[in-house]
Amino acid sequence: MYRVWNFVTNYSILLISGAIIALFWANISPHSYHDFVEFVLIDDFFIGHAHADEHGHIHRTLTLHYLVNDVLMALFFAIAAKEVWEAIILENGSLRGKKAATPLFATAGGMFGPIAVYLGIAAFLGSDTLSAVSRGWAIPTATDIAFSYLVGRMVFGAGHPAVRFLLLLAIADDAAGLIILAVFYPSGELAPEWLLLSVFSAVAVFVLANWLPRRLDRGDQLRTKSTWVRKNLSFWPYLMAGAFSWYGFQQAGLHPSLGLLPIVPALPHADRAFGIFAEAETHLHDLLNDVEHALKHPVEIILFFFGLLNAGVEFSAISAPTWLVLAGLMIGKPFGVLLFGWIAAKPLGLGLPDGMRVIDLFVIGCVAAIGFTVALFIASVAFDAGPVRDAAKMGALFSFGAAIVSIIAGKLTRVQKQHL
């Protein structure tokens, strides 16, 4: 439990603190809060919010909100991408082979279920409501890995196979969420030719700083060239490539917070991964893991400011989008995970881990309904500033209630806790 609690305190306590401060601030002095969020750091800059002047020329303004959400949160998504990449590419990766089949099916259910509930209820409420909230369909598909994993261990016990299943589902959910952000929520008018800059940056740094030194080291047991590159250049070539890739995403109209994703696969990595919560991960010293370790404390601070700049919603904003997001998460997620997981396990014959029941899928879905971080982020990009965005954000914040629902569901379904 120590390792999990250590992770949650590192990555989430500051995030929660920022969110709580924002809620109090926005409800006590909304004008000063919003002035703080949109504080202009540099006007007419090469990065920032794009807008046209009276002559039709586009120029950008770097605000505090843009700096955190679009620039610094790229580091958070890079860490998420690192876990997804290792789970897919490494020989013992958790998202490879038959063991990942049922969790992947359940992940699909945990996304289609919330979308169906969100849009279905919105359509029932009328065409006006549906048109106002339809862009937020992806908000309830999110799962917060850290909090869901912690609650999962509380409900099932650390040794229960459902906890491992939940972690696979959450990682796959993050991977799908990154794709959704890139494809369905562009940050501006699309200019896909700029993606060539991102692709070129990733390929160039992989070839020059990763593949070529290893190629030159063939037959050299001391790996002289690779060692020289590692000691003298370290992560700097990848940082430069990341900056170019980020700029390419901004100019392409894709959300720039995803701009580091093409660079992550280019970094030299270990031959195996032990998992995001494994103590052994701290002892891996390939460059990919070293970069993740170096980002640990900066990302903690970034998440504090993310919570501070995004969770400031007035309670008067609670309205239909709030309940739609909650319904998608609290109803669509559990039943979607249960249905698709059952189809994979029984009719398709893919099975469940030993010691896990079909009904446990429903409880896993309840735990996965904690959307928080990613749900809050999607809400901030799905809607323009205004009452609909604020209401949707409140739904993302209220998704913490899924923790209580999960504990109750575990009791009602008679989950037998299994400890390590």
Side-chain angles (χ1 to χ4, degrees):
M1 186 64 186
Y2 170 76
R3 170 69 177 163
V4 179
W5 179 246
N6 186 50
F7 181 91
V8 173
T9 53
N10 285 342
Y11 285 96
S12 302
I13 293 299
L14 282 173
L15 172 62
I16 295 173
S17 301
I20 292 173
I21 293 171
L23 276 174
F24 276 101
W25 189 352
N27 282 278
I28 293 172
S29 179
H31 291 296
S32 66
Y33 174 77
H34 292 297
D35 287 344
F36 171 75
V37 171
E38 297 301 333
F39 181 77
V40 175
L41 299 173
I42 306 175
D43 198 8
D44 198 11
F45 201 42
F46 70 98
I47 65 172
H49 293 291
H51 48 93
D53 59 21
E54 62 273 15
H55 303 294
H57 301 303
I58 301 295
H59 71 280
R60 296 180 177 275
T61 301
L62 179 62
T63 63
L64 187 59
H65 185 265
Y66 190 94
L67 176 65
V68 172
N69 275 42
D70 296 64
V71 182
L72 298 179
M73 280 296 285
L75 299 176
F76 169 80
F77 285 114
I79 289 178
K82 180 258 186 188
E83 297 298 333
V84 172
W85 172 248
E86 288 186 332
I88 294 172
I89 200 66
L90 298 185
E91 185 176 349
N92 68 324
S94 56
L95 297 182
R96 289 172 64 103
K98 185 179 178 180
K99 64 184 177 182
T102 304
L104 288 176
F105 266 86
T107 299
M111 302 191 80
F112 290 128
I115 294 170
V117 169
Y118 180 92
L119 293 179
I121 296 177
F124 177 78
L125 293 175
S127 58
D128 289 343
T129 300
L130 180 61
S131 61
V133 304
S134 59
R135 270 188 58 81
W137 60 268
I139 300 170
T141 65
T143 296
D144 190 296
I145 291 182
F147 286 111
S148 63
Y149 190 73
L150 176 64
V151 173
R153 287 179 64 127
M154 291 171 59
V155 173
F156 291 102
H160 200 291
V163 174
R164 180 69 176 171
F165 191 101
L166 171 65
L167 183 57
L168 297 184
L169 184 149
I171 292 173
D173 194 288
D174 258 20
L178 294 175
I179 295 171
I180 287 172
L181 275 171
V183 174
F184 295 101
Y185 294 103
S187 61
E189 195 169 326
L190 291 177
E193 63 274 11
W194 275 97
L195 286 179
L196 292 174
L197 177 60
S198 297
V199 172
F200 175 79
S201 300
V203 171
V205 76
F206 173 77
V207 170
L208 296 176
N210 187 349
W211 178 82
L212 184 58
R214 288 188 288 109
R215 178 83 173 179
L216 295 174
D217 277 338
R218 286 185 303 174
D220 181 2
Q221 292 185 344
L222 296 178
R223 303 178 65 186
T224 310
K225 305 294 190 305
S226 300
T227 302
W228 186 92
V229 170
R230 172 78 182 274
K231 287 185 175 180
N232 292 278
L233 300 182
S234 186
F235 63 89
W236 290 106
Y238 300 94
L239 180 62
M240 293 176 60
F244 283 116
S245 179
W246 182 94
Y247 187 74
F249 266 64
Q250 177 193 252
Q251 297 301 106
L254 298 179
H255 207 280
S257 63
L258 305 178
L260 298 183
L261 267 56
I263 307 302
V264 171
L267 273 79
H269 56 76
D271 294 331
R272 63 171 301 186
F274 294 92
I276 189 171
F277 294 107
E279 185 65 38
E281 282 281 309
T282 61
H283 302 295
L284 293 176
H285 291 292
D286 57 284
L287 187 57
L288 183 57
N289 275 286
D290 281 348
V291 168
E292 182 184 38
H293 301 158
L295 289 177
K296 173 179 171 291
H297 294 301
V299 168
E300 292 169 23
I301 297 170
I302 289 166
L303 287 175
F304 169 79
F305 282 101
F306 173 78
L308 182 63
L309 295 174
N310 289 274
V313 181
E314 296 176 56
F315 289 111
S316 59
I318 297 174
S319 60
T322 306
W323 309 121
L324 289 172
V325 170
L326 277 177
L329 286 166
M330 301 284 203
I331 300 173
K333 184 83 73 171
F335 285 101
V337 169
L338 175 62
L339 176 61
F340 278 62
W342 173 80
I343 291 173
K346 299 301 182 182
L348 296 181
L350 296 173
L352 290 169
D354 292 339
M356 187 173 154
R357 307 168 299 162
V358 170
I359 195 61
D360 291 335
L361 290 167
F362 179 80
V363 184
I364 287 172
C366 291
V367 178
I370 304 173
F372 194 46
T373 312
V374 180
L376 195 58
F377 189 89
I378 296 176
S380 71
V381 302
F383 300 113
D384 294 329
V388 176
R389 179 202 275 182
D390 289 347
K393 283 184 176 183
M394 193 63 81
L397 295 173
F398 284 170
S399 70
F400 268 123
I404 299 173
V405 173
S406 301
I407 294 171
I408 295 172
K411 297 291 185 183
L412 293 177
T413 58
R414 298 180 180 179
V415 168
Q416 295 296 317
K417 287 188 178 182
Q418 297 180 24
H419 300 285
L420 292 173

